Amino acid sequence: MSEPAALRAAGPHASEGALAGVLRILRERDRFLVTAHRNPEGDALGSSLALGLALREMGKTTILYNADPVPRVLKPFPGAGEVVQSLDGARPGDTVIVCDCGELERVGPEMLSRRADFRFVNLDHHVSSQGFAEVNYIDPGACATALLVFRVLKALGHPISVDVATNLLCGLVTDTGSFRYSNANPECLEAAAELVRCGARPDFVSQKIFDSNEEKTYRLLARVLGTLDITKDGSVASVVVSTEMFEQTETGPEHVEGFVNYPRGIAGVELAFLLRQIGPEEWKVSLRGQGRVDTTLISAAYGGGGHRNASGCTVKGSLEKVRREIDERARALLAPG
Ligand SMILES: [Mn+2]
C-alpha cells in the first residue's frame, strides 16, 4: 500500500490485485458513500451514480454525494435527484468510494476536513492519480471510470439494471467523445454493446448530453465564433469569451463547455485554445491538441496542467499580449526539428 500509484497501475497483475481488493470491500462492508470530483461531468457522475445504485440494489446503505449540485444536463439520469451536497448522513467508519478523481482535494473541502472519519476506495483512470486510498484501482488504459465500475459489477456477478446501464453508458459516451477518441478501444465498445443489451438507450444518453442546450448558449457561441483567429500558417486557432459577452447573453462559464472544439475542428489546426476572461487582465486558457504536440508544455509554463491533448492554465495580461504569447509558444512547439 506504500508503493506509488504509478507502479501499482503499471501492470495488469497489479491492477488485478486492486480489483480484488475492491471486490472484497464491496462484498464485506455494508455502509458506503459514493462520490466523484466536484463540478462533475458525465463520467464522474455516471460512474458514481451507477456504482451507488448497484450497491443499493445489493442491499447496502449507500449515500450519493457530490460537493457541487448535479449540472442541469445530467439531472435526467437515474439517481441524479438523490445526490446530496452534505456529508451529514455519513458516519465514522463508512467506506467512501471516490470515482474519476485521483486527489481527495478535488472531492471538496468538506470531505478533506473529515478524511480521518472514513475509509477510502479509489476508482480512477487518470495517469496523475495519487493513490490516496486504502485500495486504489487505477487503470489509465481504461477509456472511462465507468468502464472500471462495469468491470467491478461483472466481477461481482451483479446483474446490470437499466438505471445502472444508462449511467455507465453516459460515462463511456462522455469520455470517448461519443466513441470518437483513440480511447474507444474494443473493451470500451464491447462494454457499450452490453450496456445497450441491458437496456441503456444511446438516443436518451446523447440527447440529454448533447442536444439539451439552452438558446442563450447559442447567442453566446455566435459572439465567441466572431473572435476566431487563426495563425498565418493555419496551425493554431483560438477564440475568446469576455465577461461582457456573458453579461450580454446572461450566461456564465458553464455555458462555454465544448466551445474550444470549434477552433480545434478546423482542418489543419494542430493546437486550439479558448481564452475566458476572469478579471480585467486575467484569462483562463483551455488548450486542445490533435496529438502532435503536448499541450501541457504550454499550460505548465503558467503553472497549469492536464493531459497531453487537453490542459489548462491561468494567464495575466491584456488580451492581445496573452493571445500572441500562446500563439508563439504553440508555433514554437509545432516548428519542425
Ligand atoms: Mn473520466
Side-chain angles (χ1 to χ4, degrees):
M1 225 173 290
S2 57
E3 59 185 337
L7 286 181
R8 268 198 308 280
H13 299 296
S15 151
E16 270 162 36
L19 175 58
V22 174
L23 301 180
R24 180 177 45 78
I25 288 171
L26 296 190
R27 285 194 190 104
E28 287 174 0
R29 299 181 191 170
D30 292 313
R31 289 187 52 92
F32 294 93
L33 181 143
V34 185
T35 188
H37 59 77
R38 59 187 317 172
N39 301 314
E41 31 56 55
D43 187 36
L45 193 80
S47 60
S48 53
L49 284 179
L51 184 57
L53 295 179
L55 285 167
R56 285 181 179 175
E57 290 164 2
M58 294 171 208
K60 315 273 185 181
T61 302
T62 307
I63 297 169
L64 306 172
Y65 167 83
N66 197 285
D68 289 312
V70 172
R72 186 184 54 84
V73 297
L74 297 176
K75 278 183 181 157
F77 283 86
E82 292 163 56
V83 178
V84 295
Q85 272 77 62
S86 153
L87 290 177
D88 288 352
R91 295 188 203 154
D94 282 0
T95 298
V96 173
I97 307 178
V98 178
C99 296
D100 201 44
C101 167
E103 305 87 36
L104 203 53
E105 290 73 17
R106 289 185 68 215
V107 176
E110 195 186 1
M111 183 64 77
L112 207 55
S113 72
R114 287 192 63 185
R115 88 180 289 168
D117 277 359
F118 307 122
R119 297 179 284 179
F120 290 93
V121 170
N122 188 202
L123 303 185
D124 192 24
H125 69 133
H126 291 97
V127 199
S128 55
S129 219
Q130 301 282 306
F132 63 85
E134 177 186 348
V135 174
N136 300 284
Y137 179 31
I138 296 159
D139 182 359
C143 64
T145 301
L147 187 72
L148 302 181
V149 173
F150 178 81
R151 287 181 192 162
V152 165
L153 298 180
K154 295 290 284 180
L156 284 172
H158 181 75
I160 294 176
S161 65
V162 177
D163 285 355
V164 170
T166 301
N167 280 308
L168 290 178
L169 189 62
C170 173
L172 298 185
V173 166
T174 301
D175 272 21
T176 61
S178 300
F179 308 110
R180 290 179 302 127
Y181 304 152
S182 58
N183 61 356
N185 59 20
E187 188 194 4
C188 166
L189 295 166
E190 278 158 12
E194 186 164 342
L195 295 172
V196 174
R197 214 172 280 126
C198 291
R201 284 179 39 203
D203 57 330
F204 173 88
V205 171
S206 59
Q207 199 226 326
K208 296 308 171 199
I209 301 177
F210 304 112
D211 301 332
S212 301
N213 295 308
E214 292 169 276
E215 182 186 336
K216 59 187 178 182
T217 303
Y218 289 88
R219 308 239 173 260
L220 176 66
L221 177 61
R223 286 167 168 80
V224 172
L225 289 179
T227 69
L228 178 67
D229 181 73
I230 309 177
T231 52
K232 277 203 187 73
D233 65 350
S235 64
V236 183
S238 59
V239 290
V240 179
V241 194
S242 65
T243 45
E244 193 187 5
M245 292 177 197
F246 283 139
E247 284 159 17
Q248 288 167 343
T249 55
E250 295 175 352
T251 52
E254 69 273 22
H255 297 97
V256 179
E257 184 76 41
F259 280 13
V260 71
N261 291 323
Y262 289 94
R264 179 182 163 272
I266 299 167
V269 168
E270 306 241 29
L271 190 140
F273 63 96
L274 176 143
L275 297 170
R276 173 165 67 80
Q277 188 169 28
I278 51 174
E281 297 231 312
E282 195 169 7
W283 305 85
K284 194 135 187 108
V285 187
S286 300
L287 296 146
R288 294 292 182 275
Q290 290 282 25
R292 199 156 80 79
V293 284
D294 183 353
T295 65
T296 64
L297 294 175
I298 298 172
S299 48
Y302 299 100
H307 304 282
R308 181 183 171 87
N309 285 330
S311 66
C313 55
T314 300
V315 186
K316 285 186 176 164
S318 72
L319 174 60
E320 294 69 29
K321 175 183 159 283
V322 171
R323 206 175 200 181
R324 194 176 54 238
E325 227 174 82
I326 295 175
D327 271 346
E328 278 164 14
R329 283 182 191 274
R331 286 181 35 234
L333 284 178
L334 287 162

